[in-house]
Every structure is written in C-alpha cells, then in structure tokens.
Amino acid sequence: MKKGNIYEGIAKRLDFPNKAVVGVEGETDQALVKGALPGQKVSFSVKKKRGGLAEGHLLEILAQADYEYAPDAPEVCPHAATCGGCCYQTVPYEKQLEIKEDQVRRILEKAIVSGDHLESMSTDVLEVSEKSEDLEAAEEPEKACNMLFEGILPSPHPTEYRNKMEFSFGDEYKDGPLALGMHRRGSFYDIVTTGDCRIVHEDFRKILRAVLAMYASKDVTFFHKRTHQGYLRHLLVRRGVRSGEITVALVTTTRRQEESRAFAESASAELEGMADELSGGKNDLISVRKENETQLITEEDDELRSVLLSLPLSGKIVGISHIYNDSVADVIQSDRTDIIYGSDYFFEEILGLKFKISTFSFFQTNSLGAEVLYSEVREYAGGIEGKTIFDLYSGTGTIAQILAPVAKKVVGVEIVEEAVEAARENAALNGLANCEFIAGDVLKVLDSLKEKPDMIVLDPPRAGIHPKALQKIIAYGVEQIVYVSCKPTSLAVDLEALQAGGYRVERACCVDMFSSTANVETVVQLSKGEINSKKVRVEFSMEDMDMSGFQKGATYGQIKEYVKEHTGLSVSSLYIAQIKQ
C-alpha cells in the first residue's frame, strides 16, 4: 500500500476501541481504518504507513456486513448516519457484545503472561492441566486465556440507559439554524440535533426539543469555538433511573445582551438619548445596559422554568440551574451558578444504597449497568469480613460504600475534592461510619497513610495508574487486588507491572455499560502467590529427540507438531513462548 492511494477491502476484525483491520485483495499489507465494522466492504485512503501496517481514512462503506440492520431499519437511531455519539447503531446487541468481548479478550491475552497459566518451567519441563479437554482448550493463545476470562455481561437495558447527557448548542452547517445535540461524526464544530436519540429516556428527548424550540424563536446565538463569541453553550440533563428525579442545567456565557442584535440596537438608541441626562456619563450608560441585560436573562430564565415544568414527563424535574461559563475551553464548568428552580442535585439508588448526585458529581452514566458492574466487583472482592480495604481513585465513593457494610473499614482516596465531599455526604446518608475519604493524589497520599490494607480496589481514570503510584501499591503486598478499568488498553499496561510485582491474574470479565458505543468496563481479580489449580508435571528430555531439522529455526506450528508427534502432548503458543524466554 502507498500513502495517498485509495483501496477497497474487507474489515476482518475490530481493535479497541473502533479501528478495523482491513485486508485488501492482492496486498500483503493491512490497514487500520477507524469507523469500519467487521465484515463491511469499505473504501479508504492511506494516510500513513509503517512497516506492513497502514493507517487508513474511511471514505465509504461499500457493503454492510451480513449481520447489520439496514440504515433505515426501525431498530436503528434516525441520527446514526451523522451523529458521532454512537458507532454500533446498525449492529444487533448480541453482536455488539461479541465484538467487545473479543476485543477485551485479545488485549488480555497479550497482557497476561504465561506464568498465569503455568508454574515456572524449564526447557525440559512442561506443566499441563490434568483434564484432556483443558489441553485442547489451551491449543491456541486465545483459548488459553478463556480459562481465566469469564466473558461479557450485558447492560440490563441496551437502549435508553443513560442517566446523564451533555448536549451542545451549535449549527449543523455554517450559518445554519440553531441546533442542540451531539457533535457530527468527525467534526469538532458541527452539531446534530438529536431529538430522537435512542440511548436516552424519552424525558431527555422532550426536554431537548422544548429548550431548542424556545431559544430558536429568539434572536440569540451559540458560543462559537473559533471566535469565542456567543451565548448558548450546553444543556446538561441528569435523570435517576430508580428515582425518576431530573435536574436540568443551561450553560451559557455571561454575554447575552451582546448577542441579541435586536435588543442591542433598540437599547442602544434609547440609552444614547439618555446619556446626556445621566450624571455618570459613560459609566452610567454601561450600568444601565447591564441592568437591562440582567433583566433579559431573568425573564428568559423564568420562561425556561415555565417551559420545562409544563412538559408531560414520566419523571419529575427537581432542579433547574443556569450555569455561567466564560472559559474558552469546550467543557462544562461553572464560573457562577444560579438555581432558578428547586435544587442542583437529585437522588439515585444503587444496590440498595442511596446517592445524592449534584450537577458536577461523577456517577456511572448507566445506573442499572452500574449495579451489574459493582456486583461483580463485590464478588471478585470475596470474603472481606474484618478487612481494611483501600479504594484508590474512589470518585464519589460508590464502590467503597458497597463494600463497607461487610468490611471492617474502607479508605477511599480521590484527587477531586468535590467528589470526596460527595462521598462523605453519601456515606453519612447511608449510615456508613466505617468509610474514610481522603482528598489528594494517590501517588502522594499513600506516603502519608499509616494504615495497611488487607485488600486494594483500583478504579483509575482512562489513562490508568501513574507508574510510581503503581509501585507503591505493589509494595503493600496485599493478597488480593481488584482492578476496575474503563479502558482495557490502559489496564493491559498496568497488568504488566502488577505481574512483574508478583501478582497473577485469577479472573477477568467485562461489563457493557455503554451500549451502541465502543466503550466497555473490565474487572480483573489479581492475587499474590500460587494459583489454586490442579496441575500435573510432565517431563521429557530433548536429548533423545532429533532436532537437526530445526537448526535454522522453526515456526510455532512446526514445534507444536514435533512435540505432539514425539510426546503425544498438545502445547500452546504460550508454552512455547515461555520456553523460548
């Protein structure tokens, strides 16, 4: 393949998160093409090439995979072709699970050293499982990993599962009408109105459509990322699945009057006529304009409250806020927040515990999926009676509080102070006196902790754990670690260090928390010491074997055949790799 050329090929598999490996007939090279799905025929241009692997830019899907829904099928979101929020809308849910399970399994195969399947062995000793069917299962690396990997658990609801959405204001094309929704696929600037989004409850859709209709009828602009001018920025909606409670937050800049041409022109003419009569001259003029701007915003906030509270929703709006953000960054943050109705928080229940969730609180976006995830964490933690547990990167303390009713004590460490305050408040709400939450960087806090844990739970951000922090965690030498990861490739990097520190991967599974998207959660149980599995030692000497045919080197396949022929044993590529080391 050559850079700049256009090719057609079939996607063979999908690597995490969404890069398809595409083969082209007549070409020995393969290409990674973002956005293609396994089985699709696609055309792509080569952006760059290194070795036998090219990076391609998807141009067109020439033919769907045989398992896909048609683009206009009722199962497919009407925004699927343009919205950048989902990538699996045409994929049946069972196939989505299959793809994600395969991705995580392959990542773990590479990350889990063969010592997790075998005890140490020399070139003259192979250790194999006692059962013949396990020998068969270990024939290939991916099958060997199946003995530890427990597959994927589905989301209880594949659709309408999200409890939080951050919608953006913008336009679908330059100078187009006001839009409110998600970014167009592949675009940083264009916004697609997603009034029929399939991954949120109907209440979200009604709120989006009502807010868009209200502001589209006014002479008001959105915040432009290039010029950093404009008023409307985001609409943040959160809804408790168990409670049905809803909070809505409108995010704008403080420059409302400047962005209303009609208001500015009329106010300017009136104020200029008054200027000579005002004692303060220019300063008084500015003051009056600010007063009028404040009045306009207040009137619109009143209208927004009235519009939202009149909607026929299945849930109940318990809070409406107006957040002001003049930052140039495209993030939701508060320079000032005005609560225009109710409160800025709602309550949600997870596994029998109650959690207060404010506007900026981190909380898993799939409430029912979180129950599946945390149930697995609780199971992987095992018997924790009388034990002290460190919950590192604890967020708002959800995992800590789920383990606390059984454990002796749980210590949570989290760098975001607001999350720590929320964790403390929620622990008190649930009557859990054995939870302690510390605000600070795990890397630094571990040096100051005097207590020693019996077990550690890790739930780091997407980038994984700082290498120095990981070494401090390993130094505790706890018998068991449970690692929860939202990015399996980061998990794989950390597993290398944990295994080098003497830990073995006992069990692993993944949980689909984000249906129709490429994201997935993974849970891994690691232990210090020997694996409790029954093994037999099989010894044979290489001295009596004629190896002359392999003097120039042998492939793994040839080695497997040779060992099978001379010993009757089936060995895997993992076994061979361990011997070669």
Side-chain angles (χ1 to χ4, degrees):
M1 294 184 188
K2 294 183 179 180
K3 182 179 177 181
N5 284 5
I6 296 176
Y7 298 89
E8 295 181 2
I10 304 295
K12 298 178 179 179
R13 71 167 192 269
L14 195 62
D15 287 347
F16 183 86
N18 62 342
K19 288 188 176 181
V21 178
V22 179
V24 177
E25 187 176 354
E27 294 282 347
T28 57
D29 298 337
Q30 297 186 109
L32 287 177
V33 181
K34 184 178 180 179
L37 295 172
Q40 286 182 340
K41 182 178 181 180
V42 299
S43 66
F44 62 94
S45 60
V46 174
K47 296 194 294 184
K48 56 185 177 181
K49 185 173 180 292
R50 179 178 298 176
L53 189 64
E55 183 177 333
H57 172 69
L58 180 64
L59 298 176
E60 185 181 359
I61 298 172
L62 302 173
Q64 286 189 293
D66 56 10
Y67 57 80
E68 284 188 88
Y69 295 124
D72 58 352
E75 296 87 353
V76 179
C77 175
H79 311 298
T82 54
C83 175
C86 297
C87 55
Y88 291 157
Q89 277 291 333
T90 61
V91 182
Y93 189 55
E94 289 302 317
K95 184 64 176 180
Q96 292 184 36
L97 296 177
E98 180 185 319
I99 291 172
K100 293 182 181 184
E101 180 177 337
D102 176 67
Q103 288 178 336
V104 175
R105 186 181 66 247
R106 285 188 285 109
I107 290 169
L108 292 180
E109 285 165 11
K110 295 178 181 178
I112 299 174
V113 299
S114 52
D116 277 318
H117 304 283
L118 314 170
E119 295 181 2
S120 63
M121 56 189 179
S122 69
T123 55
D124 292 316
V125 179
L126 289 176
E127 292 198 351
V128 296
S129 173
E130 189 175 19
K131 294 183 180 181
S132 59
E133 59 264 34
D134 288 338
L135 280 174
E136 190 69 26
E139 179 63 22
E140 296 298 334
E142 63 269 25
K143 294 181 181 178
C145 192
N146 280 344
M147 290 188 290
L148 297 172
F149 185 57
E150 298 177 337
I152 188 168
L153 298 171
S155 170
H157 292 303
T159 61
E160 300 189 347
Y161 61 86
R162 288 189 63 93
N163 58 36
K164 174 187 176 182
M165 285 297 285
E166 297 177 359
F167 299 115
S168 297
F169 285 95
D171 51 14
E172 296 198 22
Y173 52 89
K174 187 177 180 180
D175 299 327
L178 185 67
L180 176 59
M182 305 297 290
H183 284 268
R184 182 182 296 276
R185 182 175 293 125
S187 174
F188 180 69
Y189 299 104
D190 298 341
I191 300 298
V192 176
T193 295
T194 51
D196 294 301
C197 176
R198 297 292 178 84
I199 62 174
V200 297
H201 188 275
E202 174 64 16
D203 285 352
F204 285 80
R205 299 190 283 265
K206 288 181 178 179
I207 291 169
L208 180 150
R209 290 192 290 259
V211 173
L212 177 60
M214 172 184 156
Y215 282 102
S217 67
K218 301 180 182 299
D219 187 13
V220 58
T221 66
F222 62 89
F223 180 77
H224 289 73
K225 299 181 182 66
R226 287 191 179 94
T227 64
H228 303 148
Q229 299 295 315
Y231 181 64
L232 298 170
R233 298 193 70 155
H234 299 95
L235 181 70
L236 172 59
V237 184
R238 305 189 77 156
R239 182 184 189 276
V241 174
R242 298 283 189 199
S243 65
E245 295 181 347
I246 301 168
T247 59
V248 181
L250 175 71
V251 185
T252 72
T253 67
T254 57
R255 300 181 296 275
R256 172 62 180 92
Q257 181 173 314
E258 295 174 10
E259 304 310 321
S260 174
R261 291 189 302 274
F263 179 86
E265 289 171 1
S266 61
S268 177
E270 178 182 351
L271 291 172
E272 285 175 5
M274 297 168 54
D276 293 336
E277 302 176 10
L278 295 172
S279 59
K282 183 177 180 181
N283 289 336
D284 286 337
L285 177 62
I286 294 173
S287 176
V288 171
R289 296 188 67 150
K290 286 185 177 179
E291 289 177 6
N292 279 274
E293 181 178 53
T294 300
Q295 180 182 351
L296 175 61
I297 292 173
T298 300
E299 291 173 354
E300 288 182 346
D301 283 352
D302 290 343
E303 183 181 355
L304 177 64
R305 178 176 61 245
S306 177
V307 166
L308 291 175
L309 294 180
S310 66
L311 291 174
L313 306 175
S314 66
K316 179 183 179 182
I317 293 178
V318 296
I320 304 171
S321 302
H322 187 161
I323 298 172
Y324 296 93
N325 172 22
D326 283 329
S327 167
V328 297
D330 188 29
V331 294
I332 296 180
Q333 64 183 45
S334 173
D335 297 336
R336 186 183 100 230
T337 298
D338 292 342
I339 298 175
I340 57 179
Y341 174 78
S343 62
D344 64 346
Y345 60 85
F346 69 99
F347 290 96
E348 180 64 303
E349 292 185 13
I350 298 288
L351 295 175
L353 296 174
K354 196 171 185 179
F355 295 91
K356 178 182 176 181
I357 305 169
S358 63
T359 302
F360 294 102
S361 293
F362 171 80
F363 199 78
Q364 288 286 358
T365 55
N366 183 342
S367 297
L368 300 184
E371 292 192 328
V372 176
L373 176 67
Y374 295 144
S375 294
E376 287 300 298
V377 172
R378 191 162 57 184
E379 181 188 343
Y380 275 34
I384 57 175
E385 296 85 353
K387 292 184 178 181
T388 297
I389 300 170
F390 280 7
D391 179 13
L392 305 182
Y393 311 96
S394 56
T396 52
T398 313
I399 292 177
Q401 293 174 67
I402 287 170
L403 299 178
V406 180
K408 175 184 176 182
K409 183 178 181 179
V410 183
V411 178
V413 181
E414 169 60 43
I415 197 170
V416 180
E417 292 187 7
E418 292 84 352
V420 172
E421 288 300 321
R424 292 168 179 163
E425 188 174 358
N426 285 322
L429 183 67
N430 290 305
L432 299 171
N434 61 336
C435 289
E436 178 185 357
F437 295 101
I438 301 171
D441 187 345
V442 168
L443 177 62
K444 298 177 181 178
V445 171
L446 291 183
D447 292 332
S448 63
L449 289 176
K450 296 180 179 180
E451 289 182 278
K452 301 297 181 184
D454 300 303
M455 191 189 80
I456 294 175
V457 176
L458 303 170
D459 189 6
R462 291 182 63 80
I465 302 173
H466 190 288
K468 291 183 179 179
L470 196 54
Q471 291 307 312
K472 293 180 181 180
I473 292 166
I474 292 170
Y476 278 113
V478 297
E479 290 298 315
Q480 185 168 295
I481 293 175
V482 177
Y483 193 130
V484 184
S485 171
C486 58
K487 188 178 180 183
T489 48
S490 296
L491 167 65
V493 174
D494 291 342
L495 284 180
E496 291 183 12
L498 287 164
Q499 290 171 113
Y503 285 91
R504 296 173 183 245
V505 178
E506 294 274 15
R507 304 165 63 187
C509 72
C510 46
V511 180
D512 183 33
M513 298 277 290
F514 317 100
S515 308
S516 296
T517 77
N519 299 311
V520 64
E521 294 274 346
T522 307
V523 186
V524 175
Q525 180 194 66
L526 301 105
S527 68
K528 191 89 169 178
E530 300 295 332
I531 294 179
N532 295 323
S533 59
K534 194 170 182 180
K535 300 176 184 288
V536 296
R537 290 175 64 87
V538 181
E539 299 188 16
F540 62 92
S541 173
M542 307 290 283
E543 295 178 359
D544 299 329
M545 297 184 182
D546 179 13
M547 305 295 290
S548 60
F550 302 115
Q551 289 179 356
K552 295 183 179 181
T555 66
Y556 277 26
Q558 289 173 322
I559 294 172
K560 290 179 185 181
E561 292 177 6
Y562 188 88
V563 174
K564 180 74 172 179
E565 179 183 349
H566 288 81
T567 68
L569 293 173
S570 296
V571 296
S572 76
S573 299
L574 284 172
Y575 295 176
I576 299 169
Q578 178 77 8
I579 292 173
K580 291 179 73 176
Q581 292 176 357

